Amino acid sequence: MPIAVKIINHSDHPLPAYATALSAGMDLRAQLSAPIVLKSLERTLVPTGLFIELPAGYEAQIRPRSGLAVKQGITCLNTPGTIDADYRGEIKVILINLSAEEQTIANGDRIAQMVVQSVEQVTWEPAESLSVTERNAGGFGHTGKS
Ligand SMILES: O=c1ccn([C@H]2C[C@H](O)[C@@H](COP(=O)(O)OP(=O)(O)OP(=O)(O)O)O2)c(=O)[nH]1
Ligand SMILES: [Mg+2]
């Protein structure tokens, strides 16, 4: 599905792309004039230079990259981040350094991945009671207990 995209300051940055034939996500790159040094537990908002126009009925999710998480302890704080179909601003990524050491993010680093998905909007039908199910109100680890 083609969607409108604009990328700024992209001289050395390709448009995000699927890395393999069946990849769900496209990696997003940091668009930085200088590296960001993140202390342990520090968070920051990283620009990507990317602006997109999603069709109605779609969202984009910003998700962490597992490699960055396992190697450097860097993840997205608000995962999954939500890009609304009516958002026309720059896509930015909220990263946090959960490692004990300082971590550096450089211009062009692949910092997160974006997954485009269809979404439903719902309307409410106020009800006095809800249908009974096997689970009913059980949750938070209630299954498997004798
Ligand atoms: O990781 C993210 C999350 C959000 N956004 C942008 C797109 C999204 O459409 C907008 C609002 O995001 P969200 O609804 O998560 O934030 P909010 O705190 O509820 O802000 P708002 O009141 O603007 O909705 O910010 C990003 O660029 N990156
Ligand atoms: Mg919001």
Side-chain angles (χ1 to χ4, degrees), residues 2-31:
I3 65 170
V5 64
K6 191 175 86 174
I7 186 163
I8 53 166
N9 306 326
H10 66 299
S11 47
D12 52 350
H13 291 54
L15 278 176
Y18 296 108
T20 63
L22 298 183
S23 289
M26 297 188 250
D27 287 343
L28 300 180
R29 292 175 187 274
Q31 186 97 239

Side-chain angles (χ1 to χ4, degrees), residues 17-94:
Y18 296 108
T20 63
L22 298 183
S23 289
M26 297 188 250
D27 287 343
L28 300 180
R29 292 175 187 274
Q31 186 97 239
L32 300 172
S33 48
I36 296 174
V37 178
L38 277 184
K39 294 194 186 79
S40 177
L41 296 184
E42 201 179 353
R43 64 180 182 268
T44 190
L45 192 58
V46 183
T48 65
L50 200 66
F51 298 71
I52 65 174
E53 187 173 327
L54 290 165
Y58 288 84
E59 63 156 342
Q61 293 187 0
I62 308 300
R63 302 188 191 168
R65 293 188 65 220
S66 60
L68 212 53
V70 76
K71 288 179 206 151
Q72 291 183 263
I74 293 176
T75 191
C76 299
L77 181 55
N78 60 326
T79 183
T82 304
I83 308 300
D84 300 287
D86 53 2
Y87 181 65
R88 297 291 177 269
E90 181 177 7
I91 293 178
K92 295 184 180 175
V93 179
I94 305 167

Side-chain angles (χ1 to χ4, degrees), residues 72-121:
Q72 291 183 263
I74 293 176
T75 191
C76 299
L77 181 55
N78 60 326
T79 183
T82 304
I83 308 300
D84 300 287
D86 53 2
Y87 181 65
R88 297 291 177 269
E90 181 177 7
I91 293 178
K92 295 184 180 175
V93 179
I94 305 167
L95 291 182
I96 185 164
N97 172 13
L98 295 182
S99 77
E101 303 83 34
E102 214 171 69
Q103 300 291 342
T104 302
I105 299 154
N107 183 41
D109 280 0
R110 291 176 296 152
I111 51 169
Q113 59 186 318
M114 185 179 83
V115 176
V116 175
Q117 290 195 340
S118 60
V119 281
E120 297 276 342
Q121 281 191 337

